[in-house]
Amino acid sequence: MAMNLDYAVRETWTNLRRNIVISIASVLCVTVSLSLVGVALMARQGVERATQRWQDGVEFIVFVAPDASSDQIDAVGSSLEANPLVERVTYFDQQQAYEEFSEMFADSPDMVETVTPDILPPSYRVVPTSTDLASVEELVQQYEVQPGVIQVARSTEAIVAIKDVSDFLTGWALGVALVLLVVAVLIILTTIQLAIFTRRREIEVMRLVGASKAFIRVPFMAEGLVQGLVGALLAIGALRIFQPVFENSLPSSDQLVLFSEFTFSGVDMLWTYLLLGGVGAGIGTAAAAIAVSWFLDA
Amino acid sequence: MIRLESVSKVYKGDVTALRDASLNIDKGEFVFLVGASGSGKSTFIRLLNREETPTTGKIWVAGKDVGALSGSKVPFLRRNIGCVFQDFKLLPSKTVAENVAFSLEVIGRPRSVIRTQVPAILELVGLGDKAERFPNELSGGEQQRVSVARAFVNRPLILLADEPTGNLDPATSVGIMRLLERINKTGTTVVMATHDRSIVDTMRRRVIELEHGDIIRDQSRGVYN
Ligand SMILES: Nc1ncnc2c1ncn2[C@@H]1O[C@H](COP(=O)(O)OP(=O)(O)OP(=O)(O)O)[C@@H](O)[C@H]1O
Ligand SMILES: [Mg+2]
């Protein structure tokens, strides 16, 4: 269909300006809801990274000294494997430890540079048969005193608590965000209905002289798209400001053994931003499409 | 150009606005639709540009079966039909030239065409010097000229006019009728609903008279009644 872009841009801009107050309301509602979605996603990604070592039922990790003899390392391993209270053991050699370290600190290359595989401790990741606190504690104490072992790290209550709190909060945040998104859709829909009403005479003339439905629709859809997209961009901006605050307020590398640092990878964030942009653009366009269809098909 | 076969239009609430109408209107004809208020003139016109669909019967306009036309084809039908109304339907926020240009713009005509066609058509309707005025700065007759310019700028095959002189004094009405006559001379078929006896009587064109939805008279070179 022949449509000059010039026309669509001009009409869209006129509409937005004419209904500036309610347009701002639409945009802000999208911003708030998408910010919430973003925070929830960031929190989840962060917690996942921070507790990466503690996935799949690993309850404690036996770190062996980097300079321990291979006899000592094997002795710890076979003892663990022979232990009836241990269900599964995974050995992480120094190279694997280094890979994990590099991944955790992917965003701090200078930190990775200071480390080489030979200074990192190899470790055994242990899944016990029972997660009962007392029996795990007993196992931990038993292996702490094995020759060659430098430390046994437990999946502490802190980690469990962080996971629980994070699940709870992200669940709620996503729920509230969903409600706000619905509100945003309704506000955009109303905004577009208002824009259509303001221009009903123009639309009447357009239909009379044979403008296609698509032609009538496009400026309104573009208006919805702009509202959703601007809302999403503001949300992304807010998240960028919020990100360092978030990172600083959470456990730091002091507890390196328990956590990896609570950071966000650039790749994860990029996907989050793309998701938010897509959702914003999508709901804006969809709400506008509904409003126009109601009007044109009535 | 226009052909009706046993066309009836029943609105909801069981109002029959047109009953079993059959007729032909050839290319280049000028037809007056007359009849008392509520006799079905506007309904007749709205059926032709597919603002309404017939309850029964078939309508062909410019070779197309209008009733069977899918929604997406309707715009293309309307590009062949210009419409003029009693209340002008001009956009108050646009100038005269913009009002006319708008109708070309929204059907995707290129800007080069708009730039040449708009001044030419305004010249034709005698408003060459008022292109930058807004509708509320014009007299009723001038506004109706703008509306005719808008309807004709795309050179439609058919011009439908529903009481185009209804809001105008007799002298101004004559001016509008001269304009419609000129447009008709270019080969455009004109169908005009009117209550204006003196216009019908002086122009002596084909007259179709409706009464309660029935065609009670179809007379070439006819008079009002
Ligand atoms: N949209 C509609 N819904 C229901 N009834 C309608 C509708 N439009 C017109 N009618 C009825 O159909 C009949 C014919 O109306 P129409 O407007 O065609 O008459 P008309 O000849 O144009 O009258 P006028 O000279 O007053 O303009 C009237 O009884 C009217 O009330
Ligand atoms: Mg009428």
Side-chain angles (χ1 to χ4, degrees):
Chain A
M1 185 195 55
M3 155 157 345
N4 53 53
L5 187 67
D6 184 51
Y7 169 84
V9 170
R10 182 156 40 83
E11 297 298 292
T12 305
W13 174 240
T14 311
N15 278 354
L16 281 167
R17 224 185 24 200
R18 199 177 285 173
N19 299 317
I20 188 72
V21 174
I22 190 158
S23 297
I24 290 173
S26 306
V27 167
L28 288 183
C29 197
V30 173
T31 302
V32 171
S33 45
L34 288 184
S35 299
L36 260 178
V37 172
V39 167
L41 291 179
M42 276 168 78
R44 243 214 347 238
Q45 287 157 4
V47 167
E48 238 162 52
R49 281 168 67 83
T51 60
Q52 194 173 2
R53 295 171 173 187
W54 306 99
Q55 309 290 330
D56 305 324
V58 171
E59 288 290 326
F60 64 94
I61 302 176
V62 180
F63 290 97
V64 188
D67 53 359
S69 71
S70 59
D71 282 353
Q72 283 176 329
I73 296 174
D74 291 346
V76 173
S78 33
S79 158
L80 279 166
E81 263 156 33
N83 196 320
L85 294 176
V86 171
E87 188 181 300
R88 195 154 31 85
V89 185
T90 317
Y91 179 63
F92 257 57
D93 66 17
Q94 289 186 307
Q95 189 54 41
Q96 284 168 309
Y98 179 73
E99 278 160 18
E100 189 188 54
F101 186 90
S102 312
E103 198 186 315
M104 283 175 183
F105 293 95
D107 291 339
S108 331
D110 39 326
M111 187 130 180
V112 177
E113 257 169 44
T114 63
V115 171
T116 51
D118 59 295
I119 66 162
L120 291 171
S123 60
Y124 289 99
R125 315 264 152 127
V126 184
V127 181
T129 48
S130 154
T131 56
D132 173 64
L133 275 180
S135 71
V136 173
E137 188 58 36
E138 206 172 298
L139 275 172
V140 168
Q141 280 170 11
Q142 183 186 335
Y143 285 97
E144 260 174 347
V145 297
Q146 281 256 349
V149 171
I150 48 165
Q151 190 180 8
V152 178
R154 282 206 51 190
S155 159
T156 56
E157 285 86 349
I159 289 170
V160 175
I162 281 194
K163 282 181 155 174
D164 286 354
V165 167
S166 126
D167 284 353
F168 178 79
L169 287 182
T170 47
W172 269 98
L174 285 176
V176 172
L178 198 72
V179 173
L180 284 178
L181 275 182
V182 172
V183 174
V185 167
L186 295 178
I187 295 184
I188 294 179
L189 208 144
T190 310
T191 314
I192 302 299
Q193 281 184 316
L194 189 69
I196 292 172
F197 186 76
T198 326
R199 319 199 71 155
R200 64 195 181 285
R201 294 173 60 112
E202 261 147 285
I203 296 176
E204 186 190 1
V205 171
M206 287 167 90
R207 298 176 82 166
L208 217 53
V209 300
S212 66
K213 271 192 188 180
F215 199 100
I216 299 175
R217 204 174 256 143
V218 163
F220 296 108
M221 305 250 299
E223 186 184 347
L225 173 71
V226 167
Q227 289 178 5
L229 210 52
V230 170
L233 289 177
L234 289 179
I236 290 169
L239 288 181
R240 292 204 72 98
I241 296 170
F242 175 74
Q243 186 180 334
V245 180
F246 202 14
E247 283 170 352
N248 293 338
S249 71
L250 283 149
S252 67
S253 50
D254 298 349
Q255 294 118 308
L256 191 57
V257 176
L258 296 182
F259 298 104
S260 67
E261 201 174 8
F262 205 107
T263 58
F264 303 96
S265 84
V267 176
D268 280 353
M269 291 313 295
L270 184 65
W271 279 111
T272 306
Y273 295 156
L274 285 177
L275 179 79
L276 297 186
V279 170
I283 61 167
T285 315
I290 294 171
V292 183
S293 292
W294 281 352
F295 184 83
L296 288 184
D297 300 337
Chain B
M1 182 59 46
I2 296 170
R3 181 180 171 82
L4 277 69
E5 275 180 13
S6 315
V7 174
S8 293
K9 177 67 191 178
V10 183
Y11 288 112
K12 44 182 182 298
D14 238 18
V15 184
T16 303
L18 199 62
R19 189 179 296 108
D20 199 27
S22 297
L23 56 82
N24 272 311
I25 296 173
D26 292 333
K27 178 165 167 48
E29 270 197 87
F30 194 119
V31 179
F32 286 116
L33 284 176
V34 301
S37 197
S39 57
K41 304 182 294 297
S42 296
T43 300
F44 188 105
I45 284 181
R46 286 205 302 269
L47 283 167
L48 296 184
N49 73 351
R50 185 54 149 72
E51 278 186 80
E52 300 285 353
T53 46
T55 313
T56 58
K58 278 194 183 300
I59 302 176
W60 278 273
V61 174
K64 296 195 182 79
D65 181 347
V66 175
L69 221 51
S70 77
S72 59
K73 296 270 168 55
V74 172
F76 298 98
L77 170 77
R78 294 196 182 150
R79 288 175 199 185
N80 289 321
I81 304 176
C83 287
V84 178
F85 300 91
Q86 185 172 358
D87 60 356
F88 320 136
K89 296 197 196 297
L90 299 177
L91 302 172
S93 61
K94 293 189 190 295
T95 64
V96 166
E98 285 167 350
N99 263 283
V100 177
F102 184 71
S103 69
L104 291 175
E105 206 170 26
V106 301
I107 59 171
R109 300 303 300 272
R111 233 179 305 174
S112 54
V113 170
I114 297 176
R115 257 200 306 270
T116 56
Q117 289 295 304
V118 172
I121 196 81
L122 288 179
E123 211 54 58
L124 178 83
V125 302
L127 288 174
D129 54 338
K130 304 226 157 92
E132 300 313 317
R133 299 271 199 97
F134 285 90
N136 66 357
E137 300 165 353
L138 300 179
S139 72
E142 288 166 335
Q143 289 185 52
Q144 192 60 295
R145 283 168 187 273
V146 178
S147 147
V148 171
R150 181 179 65 190
F152 192 60
V153 68
N154 196 33
R155 309 292 151 159
L157 299 168
I158 299 168
L159 189 81
L160 303 177
D162 195 348
E163 301 188 35
T165 58
N167 280 342
L168 307 176
D169 66 43
T172 315
S173 298
V174 169
I176 294 294
M177 289 320 296
R178 292 240 166 84
L179 192 53
L180 293 184
E181 251 187 318
R182 272 179 75 183
I183 286 172
N184 176 240
K185 283 217 180 77
T186 67
T188 305
T189 310
V190 178
V191 179
M192 169 173 161
T194 185
H195 287 291
D196 197 322
R197 171 186 301 271
S198 65
I199 285 175
V200 176
D201 288 349
T202 49
M203 284 185 61
R204 301 302 304 259
R205 300 299 187 112
R206 180 173 172 187
V207 175
I208 296 171
E209 185 173 357
L210 292 167
E211 191 180 88
H212 304 307
D214 294 308
I215 296 177
I216 57 164
R217 178 164 60 110
D218 186 346
Q219 187 180 19
S220 56
R221 300 188 57 77
V223 290
Y224 190 77
N225 54 14

